[in-house]
Amino acid sequence: MTFVRCENVTRAFARDLDCLNMLLDSGADLDVKDHLGRSPLHYAAANGNGRCAVTLVRGGSEINELDLMGCGPLHYAAASRSFFGGETGADLEKEQEASLCLEYLLDSGGNPTVKNTKGYSAVHYAAAYGNRHHLEMLLEISFNCLEEAESNIPVSPLHLAAYYGHREALRLLCETLVSLDVRDADGQSALHLAAGRGFTPCVEVLLEHGASCTLRDDKRKRTALHAAAAGGHVDCLLLLVNGEHGADIIDGQDTRGQTALMLAALGRHTDCVHILLEKGADPDAGDQKGSTALHRAAALGCADGASALLEHGASALCRDARGRTPLHLAASCGHARLLRALLQAAMKADPLDSMLDYRGYTPTHWAAYRGHEGCLRILLEKKLFGNQEGNSFKPLHCALIKGHDVAAGLLLKTVGTQIIRGRDAKGRTPLHAAAYSGNVTGLRLLLARGAELDARDRGGRSALMVAADRGHSAAVEFLVHKVKPDLTLVDVNNNTALHLACIKGHEMCALLLLGVIGDRSLIDATNDALQMPLHIAARKGLATVVQVLLGRGAAVTAVDGEGRTPALACAPNEKVADCLALILSTMKPFPGISGFNPTRNNCGMAAGRGSDGGLRHPYVEGRSGAVDLHRCLTE
């Protein structure tokens, strides 16, 4: 409902009566339009210029002509009060003239029920711009205008007045309309909008006239109290909780189970939190995931909101659906000051509570995992390090697997080096955790304090094997050059560290290992699938690794469990390998390799070699006059 600049003649028509008369006397065109289809009458109406409007209408201007937005002069006249305002004599005179302009247009046949392209009539415009006098005039003109005011398509005038905070226009509508609980497209009433926007006078008017505060919107099933609490609108919230149905709505839940108290805590609206608690809101009410208002305050680090909740009896040990207390969230998010307050409340309520979530993690686990040293210090001061209870994946594991070396050092210093020997459910030590993340500083820290270098987890893997499998070349380099781990160790599938590096395609890790392997048996070591590192490196396309392995004398004729040589292992699939086997089997023996037989042992079309050295294909084998293919090719 804003207006752009137009041609000079149009603006002149709209603003200056003397100029307008001169132009009309000289034969100016009354139907001239700007680029949005607005005529001089549209502009006269928008500026509330009644005298110009009268002159234009008498001169033949079409009173119900629509612009490109579908708005007629009445739409703009209804909103004209927005272009001036104040209490001076000049302003009051302009306001009176604007009213006379609208009245003249109505008396001259202007249709107040015409809708623009968005479905808004002049009644909507008057409500949206808060022009009570124009709105009253429109509502008095006909019964059809009253129907327009009650309509909520696309949104009712009542909603517009509430949304923009026009108390007097809203009061008029409340006195005129039958129902104040009409809903918009989202199922919200005018009370929802006024409360959500913080327009206290509008909320007051609506409640005075009987608007329902228990009404819920369609999408989130929230009441006006939810809207006021989410926006932190204290005065609106007070009106609602002090109303007749305040007790009925104070703990009402939306579709996610959230109460007004939870939304106030989520928005850090401490004053609203205080008011709701004083009015009897349940401090320990949980949503669908079991999270309370205190969980929200703890996650946000809102110390004032948490303090208000604790003062009104909120439990610091209440669990959500995953068993986490507010302490878990405060520790995870690094809110040290709030964590200390929550710890004091928890100790006072139940000093024997283990503070374990449903996976056995303590707040210390979370502080270590996130690397929040301040929170970790507070928890260690209270001896809440969870070394003897809870999940076997200890806080030290958590710190190292995320690369938080300072937190790891703090745990070692406070708890003691005995935690280095701790193992999780999969038998992994903290050294494995450091290797998993490629944390060289962590590896150095643990080994300097006596960590067992070649300790193996339940999968048979050492820290070196874990680092090689993960492709952490810096960790592999540190281990093989600085501390000399056992390179002959194998996992449950008989994979060495070199196998694992090749399996995952980590070329640099494989080359680092080859740089320190001096034992030929490791070059040709086979896993449970009878694969040597050469088989795997060839299959993965690790050309440099293959070159080094061949230079170390890796066996090129060895076959794996599927009957493939390293050459056949390069085949992308089984059928290609079969074809390569057939082709290679018909070729002359390679010079210098005595008795070389590249045939796959279990090839689906594999040929069999006879005692005379001839190759017999199954297709001709057993027939009289069988052809000796090998002899035909070699003679």
Side-chain angles (χ1 to χ4, degrees):
M1 286 184 269
T2 59
F3 302 93
V4 298
R5 296 180 64 187
C6 62
E7 290 83 350
N8 290 336
V9 65
T10 309
R11 287 191 282 113
F13 277 172
R15 294 181 180 277
D16 191 288
L17 183 60
D18 292 335
C19 182
L20 174 61
N21 286 323
M22 291 175 60
L23 289 167
L24 291 175
D25 291 341
S26 63
D29 185 5
L30 290 179
D31 294 327
V32 64
K33 304 288 193 307
D34 69 5
H35 67 285
L36 292 177
R38 292 164 179 162
S39 69
L41 185 57
H42 284 92
Y43 279 85
N47 285 283
N49 196 326
R51 290 173 296 175
C52 287
V54 170
T55 301
L56 288 164
V57 171
R58 288 176 178 174
S61 291
E62 173 56 48
I63 200 165
N64 287 315
E65 187 172 16
L66 305 181
D67 63 12
L68 297 183
M69 294 292 294
C71 293
L74 271 180
H75 286 88
Y76 295 109
S80 61
R81 186 181 179 183
S82 63
F83 291 91
F84 51 82
E87 299 298 330
T88 66
D91 290 330
L92 292 175
E93 184 180 348
K94 288 181 179 179
E95 185 172 351
Q96 290 174 355
E97 185 175 358
S99 296
L100 290 172
C101 178
L102 178 64
E103 186 176 7
Y104 178 77
L105 291 173
L106 289 169
D107 290 343
S108 300
N111 185 356
T113 64
V114 171
K115 297 183 178 65
N116 67 5
T117 55
K118 293 187 177 180
Y120 295 120
S121 69
V123 178
H124 288 85
Y125 271 62
Y129 283 96
N131 197 326
R132 178 188 170 99
H133 297 298
H134 289 183
L135 184 61
E136 189 172 15
M137 198 180 304
L138 288 164
L139 292 175
E140 287 177 353
I141 197 68
S142 72
F143 182 74
N144 287 337
C145 286
L146 183 59
E147 291 180 346
E148 285 300 312
E150 292 177 337
S151 171
N152 65 332
I153 301 174
V155 62
S156 77
L158 188 72
H159 287 87
L160 291 171
Y163 182 82
Y164 289 110
H166 300 309
R167 178 179 60 181
E168 293 307 316
L170 187 67
R171 186 184 298 279
L172 175 62
L173 289 166
C174 287
E175 293 169 351
T176 306
L177 304 183
V178 175
S179 174
L180 303 184
D181 295 329
V182 61
R183 298 169 181 265
D184 64 11
D186 294 328
Q188 297 182 103
S189 68
L191 186 60
H192 282 97
L193 299 181
R197 300 268 287 175
F199 294 129
T200 307
C202 292
V203 171
E204 191 172 14
V205 167
L206 287 163
L207 291 175
E208 284 176 1
H209 288 82
S212 174
C213 63
T214 61
L215 195 69
R216 297 173 183 271
D217 66 33
D218 291 339
K219 287 190 174 181
R220 293 182 291 184
K221 301 301 179 185
R222 291 184 177 180
T223 64
L225 184 63
H226 284 96
H233 305 305
V234 176
D235 293 336
C236 293
L237 187 134
L238 276 169
L239 286 172
L240 291 164
V241 296
N242 288 331
E244 182 181 354
H245 298 284
D248 299 331
I249 61 175
I250 196 162
D251 284 327
Q253 295 183 323
D254 64 12
T255 52
R256 295 173 59 187
Q258 297 182 111
T259 63
L261 180 63
M262 296 175 194
L263 295 177
L266 188 62
R268 300 173 181 264
H269 304 308
T270 306
D271 289 341
C272 291
V273 170
H274 275 290
I275 292 169
L276 290 165
L277 290 169
E278 289 168 2
K279 292 297 179 180
D282 183 0
D284 287 333
D287 62 14
Q288 290 182 344
K289 295 183 178 180
S291 294
T292 66
L294 190 56
H295 280 94
R296 288 165 169 77
L300 292 169
C302 183
D304 292 338
S307 177
L309 288 161
L310 291 171
E311 287 174 7
H312 286 82
S315 173
L317 293 172
C318 53
R319 259 78 172 175
D320 64 13
R322 295 167 64 181
R324 299 173 300 183
T325 67
L327 287 94
H328 287 84
L329 299 185
S332 177
C333 296
H335 304 307
R337 176 189 167 197
L338 179 54
L339 178 62
R340 190 181 293 277
L342 291 169
L343 272 172
Q344 292 173 352
M347 291 297 185
K348 184 177 180 181
D350 186 359
L352 298 180
D353 194 301
S354 61
M355 298 184 196
L356 300 176
D357 66 16
Y358 295 152
R359 295 183 64 187
Y361 293 126
T362 65
T364 311
H365 283 86
W366 282 105
Y369 186 75
R370 301 295 187 189
H372 298 308
E373 300 153 27
C375 292
L376 193 57
R377 285 191 177 89
I378 292 171
L379 292 163
L380 292 174
E381 286 173 9
K382 302 293 183 180
K383 301 189 182 300
L384 295 176
F385 46 81
N387 187 45
Q388 302 300 323
E389 62 181 352
N391 198 298
S392 57
F393 193 82
K394 298 301 179 187
L396 184 58
H397 288 85
C398 293
L400 290 166
I401 205 167
K402 295 298 289 185
H404 301 308
D405 306 317
V406 176
L410 186 59
L411 284 162
L412 287 169
K413 180 180 178 181
T414 307
V415 183
T417 56
Q418 71 273 12
I419 60 174
I420 291 177
R421 296 186 293 274
R423 291 177 178 267
D424 67 3
K426 295 182 179 180
R428 298 171 297 189
T429 66
L431 193 67
H432 286 91
Y436 182 88
S437 63
N439 183 0
V440 176
T441 304
L443 291 170
R444 187 180 288 109
L445 176 69
L446 294 171
L447 291 170
R449 285 164 173 75
E452 184 181 351
L453 174 61
D454 292 322
R456 293 195 288 172
D457 61 19
R458 291 190 177 178
R461 296 186 178 186
S462 65
L464 174 64
M465 297 166 77
V466 170
D469 179 73
R470 295 281 295 172
H472 296 308
S473 55
V476 171
E477 184 177 19
F478 167 74
L479 290 170
V480 297
H481 289 296
K482 301 296 183 182
V483 291
K484 310 299 183 184
D486 187 351
L487 301 176
T488 64
L489 296 177
V490 293
D491 65 10
V492 292
N493 296 314
N494 277 321
N495 289 304
T496 64
L498 183 57
H499 280 95
L500 295 171
C502 293
I503 288 171
K504 292 296 181 68
H506 301 312
E507 188 171 55
M508 182 55 68
C509 291
L511 292 173
L512 286 168
L513 290 165
L514 284 170
V516 295
I517 290 176
D519 189 349
R520 171 66 183 276
S521 62
L522 286 176
I523 299 295
D524 290 338
T526 58
N527 59 18
D528 284 351
L530 299 182
Q531 295 172 322
M532 301 186 308
L534 184 58
H535 286 91
I536 301 168
R539 184 70 178 87
K540 288 290 182 178
L542 306 179
T544 305
V545 177
V546 169
Q547 186 177 14
V548 174
L549 286 168
L550 291 173
R552 295 290 188 86
V556 295
T557 60
V559 293
D560 60 16
E562 295 182 351
R564 298 184 184 182
T565 63
L568 290 177
C570 296
N573 56 59
E574 187 77 13
K575 291 183 177 180
V576 172
D578 288 344
C579 293
L580 285 173
L582 286 171
I583 293 170
L584 292 173
S585 68
T586 61
M587 295 172 65
K588 294 181 180 181
F590 290 95
I593 304 179
S594 177
F596 173 64
N597 180 4
T599 306
R600 297 180 65 245
N601 292 342
N602 64 343
C603 175
M605 294 179 63
R609 185 174 295 278
S611 57
D612 60 353
L615 186 67
R616 296 173 183 163
H617 194 279
Y619 181 75
V620 295
E621 188 175 11
R623 293 188 179 186
S624 59
V627 180
D628 190 336
L629 297 178
H630 178 71
R631 183 170 302 170
C632 292
L633 290 169
T634 57
E635 290 183 353

